[in-house]
Amino acid sequence: MGEYWIKSIGIDIGTSTTKVILSRLLINERKDGFSLPFCRIIDREVTYTGSLYETPLETEDMIHIEKLKNLLSKEYQKANVNLKDIKGGAVIITGETARKENAESIIHYLADKAGDFVVATAGDSLEGILAGKGSGAMKRSEEINGTVTNVDIGGGTANVAFFQGGKAVASLTFHVGGRLVRLTEDGEVEYVAPSLFKWLSYRSINLKKGDILSYKQAQKLCQKLSEDLFAYLLSDDKQGGELLLTGEHNEMFPKPDEILISGGVGAMMNDAQIHTMKDVARYGDIGPLLASVIPTAFPLSSVRIKKAVETNRATVIGAGMQSTEVSGATVHVQKELLPIRNIPLLKVQTTKKGEWSSLEFSRRLKEKIRHAKEVYDTKQNPPFALTLLDMPYCSYVILQEMAQVIYEEMEKEFQKENIVVVCEDDVAKALGHALRKRCAKVVNIVCIDGVQVADGDYIDLGMPVGGEAISVSVKTLAFHQQKEEKE
């Protein structure tokens, strides 16, 4: 057993800003004679916090790759860091930036430069959950008896994540953000996001490119945006908020007991009051004014509301580390599928209080797959690694029922996508064979056990290292929260 520090990097390419953060992670390494070292993070320390840069755009639909490369190179030089010394990290493309036409090519570029990092576009739900972890909301939910809700308001969206007992239980995303309306110091509107059109019509607000906004008109716009967002979360008046919601959404979410505000807009919430259009448009958008009206936008409620400990850099505060393990020796592996990089883990309870029910397992798996499609980029093949928890004693009948449920739900949602399953117990070989019998020959199966994983982890699956066992790298995102200053 030993302890050592590694260098880690976090890069967040968001709608409005791009930022780089360097960390030191203290790793506790445990060794035994049966596996490669197992590691866990026991301390973390931010060593460099980069400047906030405006995310470079070539057009409204394209990220300027060369300018982004130069921006990151500049930060590496300022931090005096050599990428060869970085042992872990995360590069997350978030918000409206993740929807740009060339987002995928940027991911590939960063993946090539970043080595064994987690490199991914973050869907709205994942972005909200990451922000809630980085802002301190998840940790805060471990300290109170109730629901802590993090509202991360950035340039393009407000990502809302609900936490109970240290776990994310629901998420929502609204078209509310500082860059959705861009304007000059004279109040001339340079851009209005199409995502606002239906809501603007509902609120009888006439707004289009070329209009001249007065301060009072801009204030009304921001006030109504904020009020409709928080009314949806805290009251029965949901009509305006519904028009701001993105895509499909979970209508069932817990009532917040405490709300934290993070994100670039959240960071400005307690700034000096905004009085003129020059104050409003100091960043070329409505962000400062939106931030200033948030404290007055809440419906009458007993909920506690405060600015998060971390705001601007809540999405990726720390970065990542990885530990290498070896799967169990009795596994089912089709080598055609290997190697695989950066697969998110989807954890599903197989039993409830030790009782097996194929119907209940099917229900839980459906819900988890629905959540995964909101949170992760499930267009990759395989879309995720299905991690089975609380395995029952697996008789032949139970094993066949479990394989049938997994096959049916994966076939229904993903058709011919390959399947990766991680088992807690030593049933991987038998379950893999049962799945293989049910799947078409074009679907490859990897079913492994003997690997320790946690919520939010990603894994890499390597080639066989001896017999049927394969190497597995578990990548854990790490977060750092500053201590809250005493008033």
PDB file of all heavy atoms in Angstrom, residues 392-404:
ATOM      1  N   PRO A 392     -28.670 -11.641  -7.110  1.00  0.00           N
ATOM      2  CA  PRO A 392     -29.214 -12.715  -6.287  1.00  0.00           C
ATOM      3  C   PRO A 392     -28.393 -13.986  -6.475  1.00  0.00           C
ATOM      4  O   PRO A 392     -27.487 -14.039  -7.319  1.00  0.00           O
ATOM      5  CB  PRO A 392     -30.623 -12.899  -6.867  1.00  0.00           C
ATOM      6  CG  PRO A 392     -30.444 -12.584  -8.324  1.00  0.00           C
ATOM      7  CD  PRO A 392     -29.416 -11.474  -8.376  1.00  0.00           C
ATOM      8  N   TYR A 393     -28.705 -15.011  -5.677  1.00  0.00           N
ATOM      9  CA  TYR A 393     -28.137 -16.327  -5.988  1.00  0.00           C
ATOM     10  C   TYR A 393     -28.720 -16.732  -7.336  1.00  0.00           C
ATOM     11  O   TYR A 393     -29.931 -16.850  -7.497  1.00  0.00           O
ATOM     12  CB  TYR A 393     -28.512 -17.354  -4.924  1.00  0.00           C
ATOM     13  CG  TYR A 393     -28.188 -18.768  -5.366  1.00  0.00           C
ATOM     14  CD1 TYR A 393     -26.871 -19.216  -5.390  1.00  0.00           C
ATOM     15  CD2 TYR A 393     -29.203 -19.615  -5.812  1.00  0.00           C
ATOM     16  CE1 TYR A 393     -26.562 -20.498  -5.832  1.00  0.00           C
ATOM     17  CE2 TYR A 393     -28.907 -20.902  -6.256  1.00  0.00           C
ATOM     18  CZ  TYR A 393     -27.585 -21.338  -6.262  1.00  0.00           C
ATOM     19  OH  TYR A 393     -27.289 -22.595  -6.701  1.00  0.00           O
ATOM     20  N   CYS A 394     -27.870 -16.913  -8.324  1.00  0.00           N
ATOM     21  CA  CYS A 394     -28.341 -17.087  -9.692  1.00  0.00           C
ATOM     22  C   CYS A 394     -28.541 -18.563 -10.032  1.00  0.00           C
ATOM     23  O   CYS A 394     -27.598 -19.248 -10.452  1.00  0.00           O
ATOM     24  CB  CYS A 394     -27.372 -16.443 -10.682  1.00  0.00           C
ATOM     25  SG  CYS A 394     -27.723 -14.706 -10.976  1.00  0.00           S
ATOM     26  N   SER A 395     -29.761 -19.008  -9.858  1.00  0.00           N
ATOM     27  CA  SER A 395     -30.122 -20.323 -10.384  1.00  0.00           C
ATOM     28  C   SER A 395     -30.164 -20.231 -11.900  1.00  0.00           C
ATOM     29  O   SER A 395     -30.117 -19.135 -12.481  1.00  0.00           O
ATOM     30  CB  SER A 395     -31.492 -20.746  -9.853  1.00  0.00           C
ATOM     31  OG  SER A 395     -32.495 -19.882 -10.371  1.00  0.00           O
ATOM     32  N   TYR A 396     -30.285 -21.367 -12.559  1.00  0.00           N
ATOM     33  CA  TYR A 396     -30.362 -21.379 -14.019  1.00  0.00           C
ATOM     34  C   TYR A 396     -31.549 -20.547 -14.501  1.00  0.00           C
ATOM     35  O   TYR A 396     -31.435 -19.754 -15.451  1.00  0.00           O
ATOM     36  CB  TYR A 396     -30.483 -22.819 -14.524  1.00  0.00           C
ATOM     37  CG  TYR A 396     -30.649 -22.907 -16.023  1.00  0.00           C
ATOM     38  CD1 TYR A 396     -29.542 -22.854 -16.872  1.00  0.00           C
ATOM     39  CD2 TYR A 396     -31.921 -23.037 -16.589  1.00  0.00           C
ATOM     40  CE1 TYR A 396     -29.694 -22.927 -18.249  1.00  0.00           C
ATOM     41  CE2 TYR A 396     -32.076 -23.113 -17.971  1.00  0.00           C
ATOM     42  CZ  TYR A 396     -30.965 -23.053 -18.792  1.00  0.00           C
ATOM     43  OH  TYR A 396     -31.124 -23.112 -20.161  1.00  0.00           O
ATOM     44  N   VAL A 397     -32.683 -20.688 -13.828  1.00  0.00           N
ATOM     45  CA  VAL A 397     -33.891 -19.971 -14.242  1.00  0.00           C
ATOM     46  C   VAL A 397     -33.705 -18.459 -14.111  1.00  0.00           C
ATOM     47  O   VAL A 397     -34.036 -17.692 -15.023  1.00  0.00           O
ATOM     48  CB  VAL A 397     -35.109 -20.433 -13.409  1.00  0.00           C
ATOM     49  CG1 VAL A 397     -36.322 -19.552 -13.698  1.00  0.00           C
ATOM     50  CG2 VAL A 397     -35.432 -21.892 -13.694  1.00  0.00           C
ATOM     51  N   ILE A 398     -33.188 -18.000 -12.960  1.00  0.00           N
ATOM     52  CA  ILE A 398     -32.980 -16.559 -12.748  1.00  0.00           C
ATOM     53  C   ILE A 398     -32.000 -16.005 -13.772  1.00  0.00           C
ATOM     54  O   ILE A 398     -32.198 -14.920 -14.341  1.00  0.00           O
ATOM     55  CB  ILE A 398     -32.490 -16.285 -11.315  1.00  0.00           C
ATOM     56  CG1 ILE A 398     -33.625 -16.547 -10.318  1.00  0.00           C
ATOM     57  CG2 ILE A 398     -31.987 -14.841 -11.178  1.00  0.00           C
ATOM     58  CD1 ILE A 398     -33.220 -16.380  -8.861  1.00  0.00           C
ATOM     59  N   LEU A 399     -30.921 -16.731 -14.025  1.00  0.00           N
ATOM     60  CA  LEU A 399     -29.914 -16.275 -14.989  1.00  0.00           C
ATOM     61  C   LEU A 399     -30.530 -16.097 -16.372  1.00  0.00           C
ATOM     62  O   LEU A 399     -30.270 -15.098 -17.062  1.00  0.00           O
ATOM     63  CB  LEU A 399     -28.760 -17.272 -15.042  1.00  0.00           C
ATOM     64  CG  LEU A 399     -27.513 -16.786 -15.787  1.00  0.00           C
ATOM     65  CD1 LEU A 399     -26.751 -15.793 -14.913  1.00  0.00           C
ATOM     66  CD2 LEU A 399     -26.617 -17.950 -16.161  1.00  0.00           C
ATOM     67  N   GLN A 400     -31.371 -17.031 -16.792  1.00  0.00           N
ATOM     68  CA  GLN A 400     -32.011 -16.944 -18.100  1.00  0.00           C
ATOM     69  C   GLN A 400     -33.003 -15.781 -18.147  1.00  0.00           C
ATOM     70  O   GLN A 400     -33.098 -15.073 -19.153  1.00  0.00           O
ATOM     71  CB  GLN A 400     -32.720 -18.252 -18.437  1.00  0.00           C
ATOM     72  CG  GLN A 400     -31.787 -19.462 -18.571  1.00  0.00           C
ATOM     73  CD  GLN A 400     -30.703 -19.250 -19.614  1.00  0.00           C
ATOM     74  OE1 GLN A 400     -30.963 -18.771 -20.715  1.00  0.00           O
ATOM     75  NE2 GLN A 400     -29.464 -19.608 -19.255  1.00  0.00           N
ATOM     76  N   GLU A 401     -33.747 -15.572 -17.061  1.00  0.00           N
ATOM     77  CA  GLU A 401     -34.686 -14.445 -17.010  1.00  0.00           C
ATOM     78  C   GLU A 401     -33.938 -13.118 -17.081  1.00  0.00           C
ATOM     79  O   GLU A 401     -34.366 -12.182 -17.777  1.00  0.00           O
ATOM     80  CB  GLU A 401     -35.515 -14.512 -15.726  1.00  0.00           C
ATOM     81  CG  GLU A 401     -36.531 -15.638 -15.707  1.00  0.00           C
ATOM     82  CD  GLU A 401     -37.315 -15.701 -14.409  1.00  0.00           C
ATOM     83  OE1 GLU A 401     -36.940 -14.978 -13.442  1.00  0.00           O
ATOM     84  OE2 GLU A 401     -38.287 -16.456 -14.342  1.00  0.00           O
ATOM     85  N   MET A 402     -32.818 -13.021 -16.365  1.00  0.00           N
ATOM     86  CA  MET A 402     -32.013 -11.795 -16.368  1.00  0.00           C
ATOM     87  C   MET A 402     -31.474 -11.509 -17.767  1.00  0.00           C
ATOM     88  O   MET A 402     -31.540 -10.379 -18.270  1.00  0.00           O
ATOM     89  CB  MET A 402     -30.859 -11.947 -15.373  1.00  0.00           C
ATOM     90  CG  MET A 402     -30.106 -10.662 -15.096  1.00  0.00           C
ATOM     91  SD  MET A 402     -28.777 -10.902 -13.878  1.00  0.00           S
ATOM     92  CE  MET A 402     -29.714 -11.373 -12.432  1.00  0.00           C
ATOM     93  N   ALA A 403     -30.957 -12.546 -18.428  1.00  0.00           N
ATOM     94  CA  ALA A 403     -30.435 -12.385 -19.788  1.00  0.00           C
ATOM     95  C   ALA A 403     -31.541 -11.960 -20.753  1.00  0.00           C
ATOM     96  O   ALA A 403     -31.327 -11.110 -21.626  1.00  0.00           O
ATOM     97  CB  ALA A 403     -29.789 -13.685 -20.253  1.00  0.00           C
ATOM     98  N   GLN A 404     -32.735 -12.519 -20.586  1.00  0.00           N
ATOM     99  CA  GLN A 404     -33.846 -12.190 -21.461  1.00  0.00           C
ATOM    100  C   GLN A 404     -34.254 -10.727 -21.317  1.00  0.00           C
ATOM    101  O   GLN A 404     -34.504 -10.038 -22.311  1.00  0.00           O
ATOM    102  CB  GLN A 404     -35.043 -13.106 -21.167  1.00  0.00           C
ATOM    103  CG  GLN A 404     -36.215 -12.951 -22.132  1.00  0.00           C
ATOM    104  CD  GLN A 404     -35.880 -13.386 -23.547  1.00  0.00           C
ATOM    105  OE1 GLN A 404     -34.990 -14.217 -23.757  1.00  0.00           O
ATOM    106  NE2 GLN A 404     -36.578 -12.824 -24.529  1.00  0.00           N
TER     107      GLN A 404
END
